[in-house]
Amino acid sequence: MKKIFLPALVFCTFLFACNNEAAKTETAVTALSTFSLDSAKAAITASNATYGACFATGDSALFVSHYTSDACISPSNMPKMCGPQAINAFFTGGYKMGIRNLKLTTDEVMGSKDAVVETGTYEVLGDKGVSFDKGKFIVVWKEENGKLKMHRDIWNTDMPAAAPAK
């Protein structure tokens, strides 16, 4: 059951690439007319730090606030879940299962002002840092109301599948 609610992160249904000329003129991730991949990376790092910590306090509102208003998550072994209510229900299920933190490690960040894609690995932790799951994720980030937020989030476990019941 714990593998069904393995949270966090990440997500990619499409990818927009930065060209070299755009990279030279980048200045800020929150301004629609300008873009800085370094600023995007910093915003993602800051968001990821508070995202996983929501499980320690049970703060579902803060968890959901990391996503765009029309975000979708695609958890392992579950159908896609879209919108704040569905994401909140997912968080609540994970919290009730005993998830208390997520350790996210970013491997790559790429993109443009239209969308930023993050790839990485995750570890789901319970009380006293007990590991429930490890896997990989892809997240598509988009700007909403001046903040970079997760728009599409897909992840899957590296754990072997459970043996079928006999």
Side-chain angles (χ1 to χ4, degrees):
M1 187 73 164
K2 290 180 182 176
K3 290 183 182 177
I4 291 175
F5 284 103
L6 301 175
L9 341 300
V10 288
F11 351 101
C12 178
T13 56
F14 57 93
L15 171 66
F16 296 94
C18 254
N19 66 36
N20 289 339
E21 191 59 34
K24 292 177 188 173
T25 60
E26 299 169 338
T27 57
V29 72
T30 57
L32 292 175
S33 62
T34 60
F35 174 77
S36 165
L37 194 55
D38 288 336
S39 294
K41 288 176 184 178
I44 289 169
T45 298
S47 180
N48 285 349
T50 59
Y51 177 78
C54 294
F55 283 100
T57 60
D59 192 342
S60 63
L62 181 58
F63 182 84
V64 171
S65 76
H66 286 82
Y67 288 94
T68 61
S69 59
D70 59 345
C72 294
I73 61 174
S74 297
S76 295
N77 305 311
M78 294 180 70
K80 178 168 71 170
M81 304 169 80
C82 296
Q85 286 184 309
I87 294 169
N88 185 62
F90 178 81
F91 173 88
T92 301
Y95 186 79
K96 286 179 179 178
M97 279 180 23
I99 294 171
R100 294 299 176 260
N101 202 354
L102 300 172
K103 179 181 174 187
L104 303 173
T105 303
T106 301
D107 294 333
E108 283 183 293
V109 175
M110 63 194 95
S112 70
K113 67 178 181 164
D114 296 320
V116 176
V117 177
E118 173 195 21
T119 65
T121 58
Y122 70 85
E123 184 173 13
V124 179
L125 304 168
D127 286 329
K128 299 178 184 166
V130 173
S131 181
F132 289 165
D133 184 42
K134 293 181 182 183
K136 60 247 169 229
F137 67 85
I138 301 172
V139 177
V140 175
W141 295 79
K142 290 183 82 174
E143 186 178 334
E144 182 176 80
N145 299 323
K147 294 182 102 177
L148 203 56
K149 295 185 174 195
M150 291 183 277
H151 183 62
R152 297 291 184 262
D153 186 359
I154 185 167
W155 62 95
N156 55 60
T157 183
D158 287 344
M159 306 298 283
K166 293 184 180 187

